[in-house]
Amino acid sequence: MMTTTTLQVQAQASSSFAIRIPPSSFTSPLTRSPHRFVVRASVDPSEKSIEIMRKFSEQYARKSGTYFCVDKGVTSVVIKGLADHKDSLGAPLCPCRHYDDKPAEVGQGFWNCPCVPMRERKECHCMLFLTPDNDFAGKEQTISLDEIRATTANI
Amino acid sequence: SNPLPRWPLYSTPSASHALLLLSLSLLALTSHQLSLLPFLTFSARVSFPPFRGLKVGPTFTARSLGPLTVTSRRATSARPVVCEVQDTAVEVPAITDANWQSLVLESESPVLVEFWAPWCGPCRMIHPVIDELAKQYAGKIKCYKVNTDESPSIATRYGIRSIPTVIIFKNGEKKDTVIGAVPKSTLTTSIEKFL
């Protein structure tokens, strides 16, 4: 028997073992699994925002001569983080920072992607835009929506 | 006459046939996680245990459609069904405002706390490193994770700015801070100073 609760990571699938017997009024005790729930780190941002930030990331990487991380999962998570802030705050605030007052930061603009450290010194601690000399820099300046979905599917 | 044993709960032949079909199809499946098999006996009372999901391996989902056909679909992904968060919860528990005082400040051993955020890319890179450190130094230090989105007050209290940040506490005081997705060696060097 399992000692810990099993968390099933399936977006919309139900894992109930249902048997329906048409004429009888008897209902199986398994019509609904009591443990059907989904665990996600957070709710996904909107598809539109993800697409906008994806295009922006590709374009800015080209423009700045930087490359995406070898681990595209990191790139995908950051793109989703930017999309999430764009949805909630109206501007893509850097997802790898902690803020006391997010709307104020958006107004101030220092940490709106591309942030000032990136614009001035090509420093991206989110590991979204990596200079070619960085150990983690890959060779690509593109990322597709499928890649984003695939690498963030287990979140 | 009905050749099948009489099942008082299922009064119609079609139901009996369907359950027979179900049993046979389940028996045909080779998945060793199916703990339902021992329960499928042709006894007068047939009761199925609640389906709690499988521990590891491809998922088995069964649906009944219309006239009782059973479909089983195996997840094609090689990933285990169990969410990684579960491992985190077992190995490196999450801390909130409620248990911060007792678990971190009043802890007798040094405490390592990782401040992370859901959509931070580098955090994903050091989560497994922290898990390894928790195993490696089990008993010598305690390891915890703080989701800065869920517990912003703790993050603000210790002046967290860049994420991920790892802070080592001893006797309730912040002793060392490591910022960014650093390699494991950097963290072990820091930890060793306080053991």
Side-chain angles (χ1 to χ4, degrees):
Chain A
M1 266 304 172
M2 284 175 278
T3 53
T4 52
T5 309
T6 304
L7 309 170
Q8 301 179 350
V9 184
Q10 282 175 325
Q12 306 300 329
S14 73
S15 60
S16 53
F17 190 68
I19 302 143
R20 207 166 298 135
I21 290 97
S24 165
S25 60
F26 170 81
T27 48
S28 158
L30 301 176
T31 40
R32 193 143 289 147
S33 162
H35 297 289
R36 180 178 62 191
F37 54 93
V38 172
V39 175
R40 291 199 207 105
S42 40
V43 180
D44 256 12
S46 68
E47 288 276 342
K48 185 169 156 218
S49 293
I50 295 178
E51 183 57 22
I52 292 173
M53 296 321 302
R54 186 189 71 82
K55 287 235 164 68
F56 154 76
S57 304
E58 287 187 338
Q59 172 220 23
Y60 197 79
R62 271 199 309 274
K63 186 171 125 179
S64 61
T66 52
Y67 296 87
F68 291 148
C69 185
V70 272
D71 177 5
K72 285 290 180 69
V74 170
T75 311
S76 307
V77 168
V78 175
I79 290 179
K80 278 198 169 175
L82 291 168
D84 182 61
H85 277 156
K86 188 155 179 16
D87 281 340
S88 57
L89 303 162
L93 213 55
C94 177
C96 303
R97 277 193 78 83
H98 177 68
Y99 310 96
D100 294 331
D101 183 356
K102 285 191 177 179
E105 293 281 350
V106 167
Q108 211 266 324
F110 190 96
W111 288 109
N112 285 352
C113 188
C115 62
V116 169
M118 178 64 200
R119 283 184 261 154
E120 290 185 354
R121 297 185 295 277
K122 297 206 179 155
E123 282 173 9
C124 176
H125 68 283
C126 289
M127 300 179 72
L128 177 58
F129 304 114
L130 297 166
T131 49
D133 59 320
N134 191 304
D135 291 335
F136 293 100
K139 296 205 174 15
E140 294 176 24
Q141 294 175 318
T142 54
I143 185 169
S144 69
L145 204 51
D146 284 335
E147 273 182 286
I148 294 180
R149 277 201 209 109
T151 48
T152 55
N154 61 341
I155 289 190
Chain B
S1 62
N2 190 350
L4 291 168
R6 291 192 54 188
W7 299 348
L9 296 171
Y10 313 108
S11 55
T12 61
S14 63
S16 314
H17 286 309
L19 270 157
L20 176 62
L21 171 70
L22 167 66
S23 317
L24 287 174
S25 62
L26 281 174
L27 283 165
L29 286 166
T30 54
S31 166
H32 64 280
Q33 278 98 0
L34 264 182
S35 57
L36 299 170
L37 285 171
F39 294 89
L40 288 172
T41 54
F42 283 178
S43 56
R45 269 188 65 135
V46 178
S47 62
F48 295 95
F51 183 62
R52 283 193 228 289
L54 306 173
K55 286 184 196 177
V56 150
T59 46
F60 167 74
T61 51
R63 280 183 299 158
S64 67
L65 324 151
L68 265 165
T69 51
V70 174
T71 56
S72 79
R73 178 169 53 84
R74 284 164 150 246
T76 50
S77 158
R79 289 193 307 271
V81 171
V82 174
C83 172
E84 286 170 6
V85 171
Q86 178 181 340
D87 291 323
T88 305
V90 170
E91 307 274 358
V92 185
I95 289 218
T96 57
D97 301 310
N99 45 22
W100 179 261
Q101 178 71 23
S102 57
L103 286 179
V104 175
L105 299 178
E106 291 166 8
S107 168
E108 289 176 355
S109 53
V111 181
L112 182 145
V113 182
E114 182 211 344
F115 291 85
W116 65 284
W119 293 121
C120 163
C123 293
R124 256 171 62 129
M125 292 180 67
I126 68 161
H127 277 333
V129 172
I130 302 288
D131 290 341
E132 279 172 24
L133 287 173
K135 275 204 195 99
Q136 190 179 332
Y137 291 98
K140 296 186 204 146
I141 64 162
K142 300 240 172 67
C143 293
Y144 298 111
K145 293 186 183 175
V146 173
N147 184 339
T148 55
D149 276 359
E150 288 176 4
S151 311
S153 52
I154 303 179
T156 304
R157 185 166 153 192
Y158 291 100
I160 304 293
R161 287 288 161 246
S162 182
I163 300 171
T165 296
V166 173
I167 299 187
I168 298 180
F169 289 86
K170 196 168 179 183
N171 302 324
E173 282 174 12
K174 175 166 107 166
K175 294 286 189 199
D176 199 10
T177 309
V178 181
I179 296 181
V182 296
K184 190 172 168 188
S185 49
T186 313
L187 290 168
T188 45
T189 313
S190 285
I191 293 175
E192 296 283 338
K193 283 192 284 188
F194 301 104
L195 281 181

Short mmCIF file of all heavy atoms in Angstrom, two decimals, chain A residues 112-139:
data_model
loop_
_atom_site.label_atom_id
_atom_site.label_comp_id
_atom_site.label_asym_id
_atom_site.label_seq_id
_atom_site.Cartn_x
_atom_site.Cartn_y
_atom_site.Cartn_z
N ASN A 112 11.53 45.64 -15.97
CA ASN A 112 10.71 45.17 -17.08
C ASN A 112 11.60 44.57 -18.14
O ASN A 112 12.58 45.20 -18.56
CB ASN A 112 9.92 46.32 -17.70
CG ASN A 112 8.75 46.74 -16.83
OD1 ASN A 112 8.44 46.09 -15.85
ND2 ASN A 112 8.11 47.83 -17.20
N CYS A 113 11.26 43.36 -18.57
CA CYS A 113 12.11 42.67 -19.53
C CYS A 113 12.04 43.37 -20.88
O CYS A 113 10.93 43.64 -21.35
CB CYS A 113 11.67 41.22 -19.66
SG CYS A 113 12.76 40.19 -20.64
N PRO A 114 13.13 43.70 -21.56
CA PRO A 114 14.51 43.48 -21.13
C PRO A 114 14.94 44.51 -20.08
O PRO A 114 14.80 45.72 -20.28
CB PRO A 114 15.32 43.65 -22.42
CG PRO A 114 14.47 44.53 -23.28
CD PRO A 114 13.06 44.31 -22.89
N CYS A 115 15.45 43.97 -18.96
CA CYS A 115 15.74 44.83 -17.82
C CYS A 115 17.02 45.64 -18.10
O CYS A 115 17.78 45.36 -19.02
CB CYS A 115 15.92 43.98 -16.57
SG CYS A 115 17.29 42.81 -16.68
N VAL A 116 17.23 46.62 -17.24
CA VAL A 116 18.38 47.51 -17.43
C VAL A 116 19.71 46.76 -17.43
O VAL A 116 20.56 47.00 -18.30
CB VAL A 116 18.34 48.66 -16.38
CG1 VAL A 116 19.63 49.44 -16.39
CG2 VAL A 116 17.16 49.56 -16.64
N PRO A 117 19.94 45.85 -16.47
CA PRO A 117 21.22 45.10 -16.52
C PRO A 117 21.42 44.37 -17.85
O PRO A 117 22.55 44.28 -18.34
CB PRO A 117 21.09 44.11 -15.36
CG PRO A 117 20.16 44.76 -14.41
CD PRO A 117 19.19 45.53 -15.24
N MET A 118 20.35 43.87 -18.42
CA MET A 118 20.46 43.18 -19.71
C MET A 118 20.78 44.17 -20.81
O MET A 118 21.68 43.96 -21.62
CB MET A 118 19.17 42.42 -20.02
CG MET A 118 19.17 41.71 -21.36
SD MET A 118 20.39 40.40 -21.44
CE MET A 118 20.55 40.23 -23.19
N ARG A 119 20.03 45.27 -20.81
CA ARG A 119 20.23 46.25 -21.87
C ARG A 119 21.62 46.85 -21.82
O ARG A 119 22.25 47.10 -22.85
CB ARG A 119 19.19 47.37 -21.76
CG ARG A 119 17.81 46.97 -22.28
CD ARG A 119 16.85 48.11 -22.24
NE ARG A 119 15.99 48.06 -21.07
CZ ARG A 119 15.42 49.13 -20.52
NH1 ARG A 119 15.62 50.33 -21.01
NH2 ARG A 119 14.63 48.99 -19.46
N GLU A 120 22.13 47.08 -20.61
CA GLU A 120 23.42 47.75 -20.50
C GLU A 120 24.59 46.77 -20.55
O GLU A 120 25.60 47.05 -21.19
CB GLU A 120 23.48 48.52 -19.17
CG GLU A 120 22.55 49.73 -19.15
CD GLU A 120 22.71 50.55 -17.88
OE1 GLU A 120 23.45 50.12 -16.99
OE2 GLU A 120 22.09 51.63 -17.82
N ARG A 121 24.47 45.63 -19.85
CA ARG A 121 25.64 44.76 -19.72
C ARG A 121 25.38 43.34 -20.19
O ARG A 121 26.20 42.46 -19.97
CB ARG A 121 26.08 44.71 -18.24
CG ARG A 121 26.53 46.05 -17.69
CD ARG A 121 27.07 45.89 -16.27
NE ARG A 121 26.03 45.48 -15.35
CZ ARG A 121 25.17 46.29 -14.76
NH1 ARG A 121 25.21 47.59 -15.01
NH2 ARG A 121 24.25 45.83 -13.92
N LYS A 122 24.27 43.11 -20.82
CA LYS A 122 23.89 41.76 -21.29
C LYS A 122 23.94 40.75 -20.14
O LYS A 122 24.34 39.61 -20.32
CB LYS A 122 24.80 41.30 -22.43
CG LYS A 122 24.67 42.18 -23.65
CD LYS A 122 25.02 41.47 -24.92
CE LYS A 122 24.85 42.41 -26.09
NZ LYS A 122 25.67 42.05 -27.24
N GLU A 123 23.53 41.19 -18.96
CA GLU A 123 23.48 40.30 -17.81
C GLU A 123 22.04 39.86 -17.59
O GLU A 123 21.21 40.67 -17.20
CB GLU A 123 23.96 41.01 -16.54
CG GLU A 123 25.45 41.14 -16.44
CD GLU A 123 25.85 42.01 -15.24
OE1 GLU A 123 24.97 42.35 -14.42
OE2 GLU A 123 27.03 42.34 -15.16
N CYS A 124 21.79 38.55 -17.81
CA CYS A 124 20.44 38.05 -17.58
C CYS A 124 20.53 36.92 -16.57
O CYS A 124 20.93 35.80 -16.93
CB CYS A 124 19.82 37.55 -18.89
SG CYS A 124 18.20 36.80 -18.67
N HIS A 125 20.19 37.20 -15.31
CA HIS A 125 20.36 36.16 -14.30
C HIS A 125 19.26 35.11 -14.39
O HIS A 125 19.32 34.09 -13.72
CB HIS A 125 20.45 36.76 -12.89
CG HIS A 125 19.17 37.36 -12.41
ND1 HIS A 125 18.73 38.59 -12.84
CD2 HIS A 125 18.23 36.92 -11.56
CE1 HIS A 125 17.57 38.86 -12.25
NE2 HIS A 125 17.25 37.87 -11.48
N CYS A 126 18.24 35.38 -15.23
CA CYS A 126 17.19 34.37 -15.46
C CYS A 126 17.69 33.27 -16.37
O CYS A 126 17.01 32.26 -16.55
CB CYS A 126 15.98 34.99 -16.14
SG CYS A 126 15.04 36.07 -15.09
N MET A 127 18.85 33.49 -16.96
CA MET A 127 19.41 32.56 -17.93
C MET A 127 18.53 32.43 -19.17
O MET A 127 18.43 31.36 -19.77
CB MET A 127 19.67 31.19 -17.29
CG MET A 127 20.64 31.30 -16.14
SD MET A 127 20.96 29.76 -15.31
CE MET A 127 21.93 28.92 -16.49
N LEU A 128 17.87 33.53 -19.52
CA LEU A 128 17.08 33.52 -20.75
C LEU A 128 17.96 33.91 -21.93
O LEU A 128 17.99 33.25 -22.96
CB LEU A 128 15.90 34.49 -20.62
CG LEU A 128 15.00 34.68 -21.84
CD1 LEU A 128 14.39 33.37 -22.29
CD2 LEU A 128 13.89 35.67 -21.54
N PHE A 129 18.71 35.02 -21.77
CA PHE A 129 19.62 35.47 -22.81
C PHE A 129 21.04 35.28 -22.32
O PHE A 129 21.48 35.94 -21.38
CB PHE A 129 19.38 36.95 -23.11
CG PHE A 129 17.95 37.26 -23.49
CD1 PHE A 129 17.16 38.06 -22.67
CD2 PHE A 129 17.41 36.77 -24.66
CE1 PHE A 129 15.84 38.35 -23.02
CE2 PHE A 129 16.09 37.06 -25.03
CZ PHE A 129 15.31 37.85 -24.20
N LEU A 130 21.76 34.36 -22.95
CA LEU A 130 23.11 34.05 -22.49
C LEU A 130 24.13 34.44 -23.55
O LEU A 130 23.98 34.09 -24.73
CB LEU A 130 23.22 32.54 -22.20
CG LEU A 130 22.29 32.06 -21.07
CD1 LEU A 130 22.19 30.55 -21.06
CD2 LEU A 130 22.78 32.56 -19.73
N THR A 131 25.18 35.13 -23.10
CA THR A 131 26.24 35.48 -24.04
C THR A 131 26.98 34.20 -24.44
O THR A 131 27.03 33.24 -23.67
CB THR A 131 27.21 36.47 -23.39
OG1 THR A 131 27.59 35.97 -22.11
CG2 THR A 131 26.57 37.84 -23.21
N PRO A 132 27.57 34.20 -25.64
CA PRO A 132 28.18 32.96 -26.15
C PRO A 132 29.28 32.37 -25.24
O PRO A 132 29.51 31.17 -25.26
CB PRO A 132 28.78 33.38 -27.49
CG PRO A 132 28.00 34.58 -27.89
CD PRO A 132 27.59 35.27 -26.64
N ASP A 133 29.91 33.22 -24.42
CA ASP A 133 30.97 32.71 -23.56
C ASP A 133 30.44 32.03 -22.31
O ASP A 133 31.20 31.43 -21.55
CB ASP A 133 31.92 33.86 -23.15
CG ASP A 133 31.15 34.95 -22.42
OD1 ASP A 133 30.01 35.25 -22.85
OD2 ASP A 133 31.66 35.50 -21.43
N ASN A 134 29.13 32.09 -22.10
CA ASN A 134 28.54 31.49 -20.91
C ASN A 134 28.56 29.96 -21.03
O ASN A 134 28.30 29.41 -22.11
CB ASN A 134 27.10 31.99 -20.76
CG ASN A 134 26.47 31.65 -19.42
OD1 ASN A 134 26.41 30.49 -19.03
ND2 ASN A 134 26.02 32.66 -18.73
N ASP A 135 28.88 29.27 -19.91
CA ASP A 135 28.95 27.81 -19.94
C ASP A 135 27.64 27.17 -20.36
O ASP A 135 27.62 26.08 -20.92
CB ASP A 135 29.30 27.27 -18.53
CG ASP A 135 30.73 27.61 -18.16
OD1 ASP A 135 31.54 27.80 -19.08
OD2 ASP A 135 31.02 27.68 -16.96
N PHE A 136 26.53 27.81 -20.02
CA PHE A 136 25.22 27.20 -20.27
C PHE A 136 24.62 27.61 -21.61
O PHE A 136 23.53 27.17 -21.94
CB PHE A 136 24.24 27.58 -19.16
CG PHE A 136 24.59 26.99 -17.83
CD1 PHE A 136 25.24 27.75 -16.87
CD2 PHE A 136 24.29 25.68 -17.54
CE1 PHE A 136 25.57 27.20 -15.65
CE2 PHE A 136 24.61 25.13 -16.31
CZ PHE A 136 25.26 25.90 -15.36
N ALA A 137 25.32 28.48 -22.35
CA ALA A 137 24.73 28.96 -23.59
C ALA A 137 24.69 27.86 -24.64
O ALA A 137 25.67 27.17 -24.85
CB ALA A 137 25.52 30.16 -24.11
N GLY A 138 23.52 27.74 -25.28
CA GLY A 138 23.41 26.79 -26.38
C GLY A 138 23.78 27.48 -27.67
O GLY A 138 24.43 28.53 -27.67
N LYS A 139 23.30 26.89 -28.80
CA LYS A 139 23.61 27.51 -30.09
C LYS A 139 22.38 28.08 -30.75
O LYS A 139 22.42 28.51 -31.89
CB LYS A 139 24.24 26.47 -31.01
CG LYS A 139 25.56 25.96 -30.49
CD LYS A 139 26.40 25.43 -31.62
CE LYS A 139 27.81 25.02 -31.26
NZ LYS A 139 28.16 24.84 -29.90
#
